[in-house]
Amino acid sequence: MARGSVTAVLAHGAWADGSSWARVITALEAEGIKAHAAPLPLTSLADDVAALNRSLDRIEGPVVIAGHAYAGAVIALARPARVKALVYVAALAPEEGEKVADVFYRLVPHPQAPKLAPDDNGLIWLPENAFAAAFAQNASAQDHTVLASVQRPISLNCITVPAGRPLWKDVPTWYLIAEQDRMIVPETQRFMAERMKANIRTLAVDHTPSVTAPAAVADIIRDAVRAVSGN
């Protein structure tokens, strides 16, 4: 299987959209790896899985799916046909029967983590100052402005329903542990990565390295693509 025949599908997490993968997409394209950002509505876990599957339907050939943060739960429930590997980027990986909230709140949050609460519509927005304080503290002021401006709220229905049997039980996985993460405790990331027996890479990056350390994210996705393509 040629490396160029494997497509990287990138799923954004809560409070983000596909533009959060922009620098990773260009880095992968420079290495001859096709990349596609899958838009998720963040309205329910089931809705997000369905949206991811619709993106997969538009792509021919084998795929490696990368998920950031909340999207780790989504990529693990993707339709398994043609999915050759999963890459977790500071991502949540609930076991079958666990809720996203169970793993997110497994340990005491970082002191600078934002206090999260749903609005009257059952949607959770990230406070604007949280982008610089916790979501991407290593990003530039310009990036903080963009991230805050394009943020997508996440519904309670995404994080309060039990997950199904995860695909990481059946395909190879890679996990980038973000040592400077203030949103998902690094110890929780390591717990999930070790539980799924992932290929682990631990880096001194913040919660959103697709923005602040895109080369590192592209590297781990490239390694997954290379492993499944035999190149």
Side-chain angles (χ1 to χ4, degrees):
M1 187 191 307
R3 179 168 56 166
S5 68
V6 180
T7 300
V9 178
L10 314 174
H12 63 83
W15 309 300
D17 65 7
S19 66
S20 63
W21 292 104
R23 293 166 188 160
V24 175
I25 292 169
T26 54
L28 290 172
E29 292 279 359
E31 297 196 34
I33 299 172
K34 295 177 293 183
H36 176 90
L40 304 182
L42 304 180
T43 47
S44 75
L45 183 57
D47 288 349
D48 292 334
V49 173
L52 176 58
N53 284 333
R54 288 193 295 270
S55 288
L56 296 178
D57 288 342
R58 299 179 56 230
I59 299 167
E60 295 183 358
V63 297
V64 167
I65 313 179
H68 173 237
Y70 157 71
V74 179
I75 66 174
L77 300 176
R79 191 184 302 124
R82 299 186 293 115
V83 178
K84 302 303 179 184
L86 301 176
V87 179
Y88 288 76
V89 179
L92 295 164
E95 172 64 279
E96 184 174 9
E98 285 182 338
K99 306 175 184 69
V100 170
D102 292 338
V103 283
F104 185 75
Y105 291 111
R106 180 174 173 268
L107 296 175
V108 176
H110 187 278
Q112 289 175 271
K115 302 290 190 295
L116 301 173
D119 64 12
D120 292 340
N121 296 309
L123 300 175
I124 303 170
W125 295 83
L126 201 61
E128 187 167 345
N129 62 0
F131 288 94
F135 191 79
Q137 72 268 19
N138 296 338
S140 67
Q142 291 86 349
D143 283 334
H144 293 149
T145 298
V146 172
L147 288 167
S149 297
V150 304
Q151 77 156 303
R152 308 273 300 281
I154 187 169
S155 169
L156 281 174
N157 296 324
C158 296
I159 64 173
T160 57
V161 296
R165 187 180 190 277
L167 188 55
W168 48 258
K169 290 180 178 289
D170 305 313
V171 301
T173 58
W174 279 255
Y175 199 110
L176 191 164
I177 296 175
E179 290 183 312
Q180 298 173 355
D181 200 319
R182 298 175 182 176
M183 296 293 295
I184 301 173
V185 178
E187 291 85 349
T188 293
Q189 295 180 40
R190 180 167 295 280
F191 164 78
M192 294 182 293
E194 291 178 346
R195 179 168 67 175
M196 70 170 75
K197 299 179 172 60
N199 297 285
I200 298 173
R201 190 165 303 173
T202 303
L203 297 173
V205 296
D206 62 19
H207 178 67
T208 313
S210 58
V211 173
T212 59
V217 177
D219 282 349
I220 194 171
I221 295 172
R222 181 205 59 215
D223 287 352
V225 168
R226 182 177 292 165
V228 301
S229 63
N231 291 355

